[in-house]
């Protein structure tokens, strides 16, 4: 059984916070004797001296400084426990799992997550980054509550969010840039294409391979960042989301291929979830912020 109560630790913290016993008495609306008794109880139970008098000031001893660090942690955890209890009583979820396709603009995603976290500071967010049908699969298996995917969900709710623009690009040293004419798709087939693997785990034989031209050489990777790195090093070409390669385009690490057609591609992303009535306040807040940001993105492009 604990020898020191949470209230006694709170009185100890108050003396430090307000700068003395008299000030703490006024700050927490307790008698000065009750605060003295609480601190004395801690000192007697632990066999240490927490405070010393220097002139007119009450200051921490070395032992007091160490105990203050622990007491702060203890009191903060107690506050969190109370907040979680209030959250649960109000029906606010404590965890939100979201699957997001890697082509969704990252800066936009981070802004949305930060705004939701400000509203729900105790919310634990689990973000799963996926490729192609991966997000829809996770949603269908109830592994996430919300999915942002290029695959529209067969059952449940699917809403068009935005369109992601892709550019065909290669590094400045790539042989395709040295051809002195406009390129066609047959030209591309003679060179290595970097393709990103579908992250879905089920029905592996039916995985999507969107964008592959049946080039003579193909390297398949698991993440878009690997594809970007490889193409920057001149190891191949690919259609990549413009929002993810803005810096590389600006720095001339990547240059758009001069195709006579199909220079750009566009992929639609969907917001999907199974049952809106089962979503908690934090999930609803995420969806509302997601819609607003995607609308702003669309209006900016227009």
């Amino acid at each position: 059984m604990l020898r020191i109560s949470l209230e006694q630790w709170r009185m100890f913290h108050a003396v430090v916070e307000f700068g003395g016993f008299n000030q703490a008495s006024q700050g927490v609306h307790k008698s000065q004797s009750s605060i003295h008794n609480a601190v004395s109880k801690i000192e007697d139970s632990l066999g240490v001296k927490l405070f010393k008098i220097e002139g007119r000031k009450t200051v921490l001893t070395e032992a007091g400084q160490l105990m203050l660090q622990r007491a702060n942690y203890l009191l903060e955890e107690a506050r969190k426990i109370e907040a979680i209890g209030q959250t649960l009583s109000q029906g606010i979820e404590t965890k939100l799992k979201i699957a997001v396709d890697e082509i969704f603009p990252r800066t936009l995603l981070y802004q949305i997550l930060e705004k939701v976290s400000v509203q729900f500071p105790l919310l634990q967010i689990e973000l799963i980054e996926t490729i192609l049908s991966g997000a829809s699969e996770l949603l269908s298996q109830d592994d996430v509550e919300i999915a942002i995917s290029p695959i529209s969900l067969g059952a449940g709710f699917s809403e068009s969010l935005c369109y992601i623009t892709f550019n065909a690009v290669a590094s400045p040293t790539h042989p395709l840039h040295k051809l002195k004419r406009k390129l066609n798709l047959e030209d591309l087939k003679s060179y290595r294409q970097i393709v990103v693997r579908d992250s879905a785990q089920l029905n592996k034989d039916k995985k999507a391979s969107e964008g592959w031209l049946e080039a003579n050489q193909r390297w398949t990777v698991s993440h878009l960042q690997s594809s970007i790195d490889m193409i920057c090093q001149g190891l191949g070409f690919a259609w990549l989301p413009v929002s993810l390669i803005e810096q590389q385009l600006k720095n001339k690490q990547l240059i758009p291929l001069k195709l006579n057609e199909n220079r750009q591609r566009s992929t639609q992303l969907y917001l999907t979830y199974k049952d809106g009535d089962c979503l908690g306040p934090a999930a609803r807040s995420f969806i509302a912020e997601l819609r607003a940001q995607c609308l702003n993105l669309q209006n900016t492009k227009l």
Side-chain angles (χ1 to χ4, degrees):
M1 185 174 179
L2 296 176
R3 293 179 291 172
I4 303 169
S5 69
L6 194 62
E7 179 66 9
Q8 288 165 343
W9 284 119
R10 191 169 77 88
M11 295 301 99
F12 163 60
H13 179 271
V15 175
V16 179
E17 180 182 6
F18 292 101
F21 287 89
N22 184 46
Q23 297 91 324
S25 172
Q26 299 175 26
V28 298
H29 307 292
K30 295 276 187 179
S31 68
Q32 189 169 341
S33 61
S34 65
I35 295 177
H36 269 290
N37 289 336
V39 173
S40 296
K41 173 65 175 176
I42 298 174
E43 292 178 329
D44 293 341
S45 298
L46 301 180
V48 297
K49 195 70 175 173
L50 299 177
F51 293 103
K52 59 184 178 180
I53 304 300
E54 291 185 354
R56 295 185 178 181
K57 292 184 179 180
T58 301
V59 298
L60 285 167
T61 62
E62 288 186 11
Q65 291 174 354
L66 178 60
M67 299 310 296
L68 177 65
Q69 295 175 15
R70 299 292 181 174
N72 286 342
Y73 175 79
L74 178 64
L75 293 170
E76 180 61 29
E77 288 301 306
R79 281 191 286 268
K80 288 180 181 178
I81 291 172
E82 290 182 1
I84 290 172
Q86 292 175 351
T87 294
L88 292 174
S89 69
Q90 296 169 9
I92 301 174
E93 63 269 48
T94 58
K95 181 180 291 187
L96 179 60
K97 297 178 73 174
I98 308 165
V100 181
D101 196 280
E102 287 191 7
I103 68 174
F104 188 78
R106 293 181 181 179
T107 301
L108 203 64
L109 176 62
Y110 301 155
Q111 291 173 355
I112 295 168
L113 293 176
E114 176 61 20
K115 288 188 176 182
V116 173
S117 291
V118 169
Q119 288 181 270
F120 304 93
L122 298 177
L123 179 69
Q124 295 182 26
I125 296 176
E126 185 171 343
L127 182 67
I128 305 174
E129 296 171 288
T130 60
I131 298 292
L132 294 172
S133 57
S136 294
E137 179 184 88
L138 289 171
L139 185 64
S140 67
Q141 295 178 314
D142 295 321
D143 289 328
V144 297
E145 289 84 44
I146 299 170
I148 300 174
S149 170
I151 310 297
S152 178
L153 190 66
F157 179 87
S158 290
E159 169 189 327
S160 176
L161 269 182
C162 60
Y163 286 86
I164 303 298
T165 301
F166 290 70
N167 267 3
V169 295
S171 75
T173 60
H174 196 280
L176 282 168
H177 288 304
K178 298 178 181 179
L179 299 177
K180 302 300 182 181
R181 55 178 172 78
K182 289 288 184 70
L183 306 174
N184 56 47
L185 295 183
E186 291 302 316
D187 291 323
L188 300 186
K189 288 182 180 181
S190 299
Y191 296 89
R192 182 186 300 125
Q193 183 178 1
I194 310 296
V195 179
V196 183
R197 178 184 296 108
D198 192 328
S199 64
Q201 297 300 309
L202 302 178
N203 298 321
K204 293 184 178 181
D205 294 336
K206 296 182 180 180
K207 282 190 175 186
S209 57
E210 185 176 329
W212 184 42
L213 298 175
E214 298 183 358
N216 295 332
Q217 296 184 61
R218 178 176 74 166
W219 284 5
T220 304
V221 298
S222 298
H223 297 284
L224 273 169
Q225 189 57 53
S226 299
S227 176
I228 294 171
D229 292 342
M230 288 180 175
I231 297 167
C232 284
Q233 294 182 37
L235 299 176
F237 75 91
W239 274 266
L240 293 174
V242 173
S243 64
L244 296 185
I245 58 171
E246 290 178 342
Q247 193 62 43
Q248 289 86 348
L249 290 171
K250 182 179 178 180
N251 296 338
K252 304 298 183 182
Q253 291 175 278
L254 294 175
I255 297 178
L257 294 172
K258 295 181 180 179
L259 299 175
N260 56 10
E261 60 182 9
N262 201 26
R263 184 177 298 182
Q264 286 190 333
R265 293 179 175 179
S266 184
T267 294
Q268 188 173 14
L269 281 178
Y270 298 89
L271 161 66
T272 62
Y273 50 86
K274 281 191 173 181
D275 187 349
D277 292 336
C278 294
L279 296 176
R284 294 176 184 275
S285 177
F286 173 83
I287 289 172
E289 190 62 36
L290 177 66
R291 286 171 173 158
Q293 293 290 346
C294 286
L295 182 60
N296 290 339
L297 179 66
Q298 181 179 331
N299 292 337
T300 300
K301 289 183 177 180
L302 293 176

